[in-house]
Amino acid sequence: MNILILGSGGRESAFAWKVAQSAHCEKLFIAPGNAGTTQYGTNVNIKVTDFEGIKALVLKEDINLVLVGPEEPLVKGVHDFFLADEQLKNIPVVGPQQEGAQLEGSKDFSKQFMERHNIPTAAYRTFTKDTLQDGLTYLATAGLPVVLKADGLAAGKGVLICLTLEEAQTELTAMLADAKFGEASSRVVVEQFLTGIELSVFVMTDGNSYKILPEAKDYKRIGEGDTGLNTGGMGSISPVPFADAAYMKKVEERVIIPTIEGLKKDGIPYKGFIFIGLMNSNGEPWVIEYNCRMGDPETESVMRRIDSDFVDLLLGVAEGNLNEKEIIISPKTAATVVMVAGGYPGEYLKNKVITGTENVRDSIVFHAGTAMDGNDVITTGGRVLAITTVQDNMFSALQQATADASRIYYDGMYFRKDIGFDLL
Ligand code: AMP
Ligand code: GLY
């Protein structure tokens, strides 16, 4: 069969690497892809939100399955677009329809969903411009720190952790009255701050049954020791030692099953991934957020621990027989180190020539923000490459991924050398 992957980051590179190995896959297309995805398939320069362009490609290349990487096309309704189109309606899309994508597209929707289905999450209240005064009063009674979340998608920037009441009141006003994050902050969720260690749990569902994929831990801050500004993610590790069988049983019973059952009770169709961002507080899982897609850079580590045919699982999602499929997970450890552009996550350097990838010894170099410039591979994004290694134990995986990252060079390159070391 012919498969199309939508997206262009490290996550989509890892998907493409895995899908290309499947016995089901004849031709693979990636739209728009990056300089690395051409190793696995054909790049087509179409934006993930250009639904008409995607339609033309799907018909021209006789695509039989579409795997959606990022949240934006899902929240904008790419799956609904397929279902509403006579020529596309029978071509399966892996990724939820707009309603299910609200789990990520609206923080207020996801908090209400969790409340309705008794899924453990931080206490919260939602405010709009009209209820700003109530919000300011509420903040005065809420404990500190307090978390403010723009309701809509804000490119990963819409969450603020405020340490003082003054800061919280100023930010709430900026978000609601001055549209700090545009339309995304026309509603704001004010939430209790949770302490603990974060964990990313990934579930694949056909709307009835589900499979739990390998869990991962993601490192979000730019600086070593988890300091400095937030980024899209500087590295990941899988498995995560504290997420042992007893812990994952709690997650499954208290979060995963009520989530799948909740979607069914609410009549929300859902075929795709659910990424559950958890806070582990003294051994108890609390949901921080849902995403309607896989994580990046978690997917790079997760794909390397799935030993079964990934397309077979995708077909289970598409055809509604996921319960008949088997997922084989490697007991080994996968580590991913993300190499970023100089200046990232602020203004960053671009169009720098990347050298040395041929010297990498025992990792896969997944491309993210790269493009071809003649015969050169150049940097185009903040997150440039994701270096992923699998080894028998965590220490060697971390060491190898870091060593391999240091064999690559471009002007201004930076990566964290401490990914996963807090877990050793
Ligand atoms: P979100 O976009 O909801 O994932 O939030 C971004 C990041 O903010 C999370 O990955 C956490 O590090 C942090 N965060 C969000 N909500 C909370 C909370 N209630 N308590 C503590 N940290 C939080
Ligand atoms: N790594 C976090 C995310 O993909 O949102």
Side-chain angles (χ1 to χ4, degrees), residues 201-203 205 259-260 263 270 272-276 290-291 293:
V201 171
F202 301 100
V203 180
T205 181
T259 299
I260 304 292
L263 288 166
Y270 201 108
F273 300 98
I274 307 175
F275 163 175
I276 304 165
Y290 287 113
N291 294 304
R293 52 169 173 92

Side-chain angles (χ1 to χ4, degrees), residues 11 218 220 232-233 275 289 291 293-298 383:
R11 167 182 49 216
D218 159 31
K220 287 211 175 74
F275 163 175
E289 63 166 347
N291 294 304
R293 52 169 173 92
M294 288 293 289
D296 192 354
E298 291 97 325
R383 288 193 289 174

